[in-house]
């Protein structure tokens, strides 16, 4: 059975490769964009608020993108999430950014979640999971990591 699965995977890969035009034969490079996220996070009593603004430094527009928020501690079972956000795991959400014009900022995304326990600190990771078919060669500014202490203070990223 394992060999059959391996052969199926190999044949699928060959089918994809056969369908792709050869390099330089009229193939078009995907558009490039430079996504970035800036904002802050604060936690009090196990409830964390995250406010972030997506941006696109260009050169191309992004028709739609999705940002992932991941916590180092599990979220409580029931959450009230804003429109455009969905829970994708025990510790993560994915939110749509909407269209991002070149050299513009997008709509602010505000998320408030409850942690399963009341941790004294949580690491928050913010990164792009989908960029609408554009290529981002500068991944440093769309991958943010912030340590948030349960003090009520806002930690910027």
């Amino acid at each position: 059975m394992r060999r059959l699965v391996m052969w199926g995977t190999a044949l699928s890969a060959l089918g994809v490769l056969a369908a792709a035009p050869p390099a330089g034969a009229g193939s078009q490079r995907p558009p490039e964009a430079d996504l970035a996220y800036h904002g802050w996070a604060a936690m009090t009593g196990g409830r964390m608020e995250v406010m972030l603004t997506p941006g696109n430094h260009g050169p191309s527009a992004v028709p739609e993108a999705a940002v992932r928020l991941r916590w180092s501690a599990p979220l409580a079972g029931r959450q009230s999430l804003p429109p455009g956000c969905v829970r994708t795991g025990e510790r993560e959400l994915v939110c749509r950014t909407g269209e991002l014009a070149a050299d513009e900022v997008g709509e602010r995304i505000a998320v408030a979640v409850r942690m399963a326990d009341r941790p004294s600190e949580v690491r928050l990771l913010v990164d792009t999971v989908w960029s609408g078919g554009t290529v981002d060669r500068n991944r440093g500014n769309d991958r943010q990591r912030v340590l948030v202490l349960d003090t009520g203070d806002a930690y910027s990223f």
Side-chain angles (χ1 to χ4, degrees):
M1 185 65 166
R2 183 173 177 208
R3 287 184 186 164
L4 183 60
V5 170
M6 289 172 52
W7 274 106
T9 303
L11 292 175
S12 295
L14 288 174
V16 169
L17 293 174
S27 61
Q28 198 173 36
R29 296 177 68 177
E32 289 188 33
D34 183 15
L35 299 176
Y37 304 102
H38 300 286
W40 57 265
M43 183 168 58
T44 303
R47 179 179 164 82
M48 184 179 293
E49 293 182 47
V50 179
M51 185 79 65
L52 66 94
T53 303
N56 176 10
H57 298 295
S60 300
V62 176
E64 180 74 47
V67 60
R68 176 177 39 208
L69 306 173
R70 278 189 288 186
W71 289 267
S72 61
L75 301 173
R78 298 188 62 118
Q79 301 285 337
S80 178
L81 301 176
C85 292
V86 64
R87 188 167 180 173
T88 56
E90 179 186 43
R91 300 170 186 220
E92 70 181 42
L93 306 177
V94 172
C95 299
R96 63 183 298 272
T97 65
E99 184 177 350
L100 298 169
D103 297 319
E104 297 288 332
V105 295
E107 295 291 320
R108 183 176 289 160
I109 299 170
V111 176
V113 295
R114 291 176 295 104
M115 308 309 294
D117 299 316
R118 293 179 66 156
S120 61
E121 64 182 44
V122 175
R123 286 181 317 281
L124 172 65
L125 300 138
V126 178
D127 68 331
T128 301
V129 290
W130 186 63
S131 60
T134 62
V135 173
D136 188 344
R137 298 193 193 286
N138 178 17
R139 297 301 308 271
N141 57 357
D142 70 314
R143 292 181 178 162
Q144 304 290 339
R145 298 173 203 269
V146 60
L147 177 65
V148 183
L149 305 178
D150 191 2
T151 61
D153 295 325
Y155 296 89
S156 298
F157 56 90

